[in-house]
Amino acid sequence: MTQSRPSVPFAAQAVPFDEFLATGKLPDDLITSEYVAQQFVERLVHYVLSVPAGSYTMAQLGKLLEQLDPRYQVFFFKRLKETSPESLKDFAPLYYGFMNEFHSLLFT
């Protein structure tokens, strides 16, 4: 008899950001709701701020962010700024690259 276990909530799952950054690919079934997208971004911000320099490249991070809805890309930089304003200088090239594309979203 096979018993189906309730799925583990996203907030309780270990997220392999290092794998996602290395492969440049998010699983298609990872972001299943607005809540999960927000939680993913929150956790990604904390990850990129807490791992040692050189653990990932800006190109790898950019590739992951490109797979998110533009609202969550903007949310990533908003949270980054709120969490660690001084770190923005490290992310400036990525930030300006994304913000150039989304300048219209900033006023909605």
Side-chain angles (χ1 to χ4, degrees):
M1 181 163 115
T2 308
Q3 209 175 15
S4 66
R5 288 183 26 190
S7 63
V8 177
F10 180 79
Q13 294 177 22
V15 180
F17 289 113
D18 57 335
E19 290 175 26
F20 296 161
L21 288 162
T23 63
K25 182 84 177 99
L26 294 175
D28 292 335
D29 60 347
L30 181 69
I31 308 294
T32 56
S33 69
E34 186 172 332
Y35 172 77
V36 170
Q38 290 175 352
Q39 289 300 304
F40 178 84
V41 169
E42 294 271 2
R43 293 173 72 182
L44 180 59
V45 166
H46 290 285
Y47 178 83
V48 300
L49 291 174
S50 63
V51 296
S55 297
Y56 63 91
T57 66
M58 288 298 143
Q60 289 172 314
L61 180 57
K63 194 166 186 170
L64 278 194
L65 290 174
E66 287 171 358
Q67 296 172 58
L68 298 175
D69 180 283
R71 292 172 299 160
Y72 300 112
Q73 294 170 355
V74 172
F75 184 60
F76 172 84
F77 290 107
K78 179 181 178 203
R79 280 292 188 245
L80 189 65
K81 180 181 177 187
E82 291 170 352
T83 305
S84 180
E86 68 282 355
S87 73
L88 276 185
K89 67 183 179 305
D90 300 326
F91 294 89
L94 191 62
Y95 173 81
Y96 289 114
F98 274 90
M99 291 303 115
N100 264 344
E101 293 179 35
F102 305 125
H103 65 278
S104 61
L105 285 177
L106 299 176
F107 300 104
T108 59

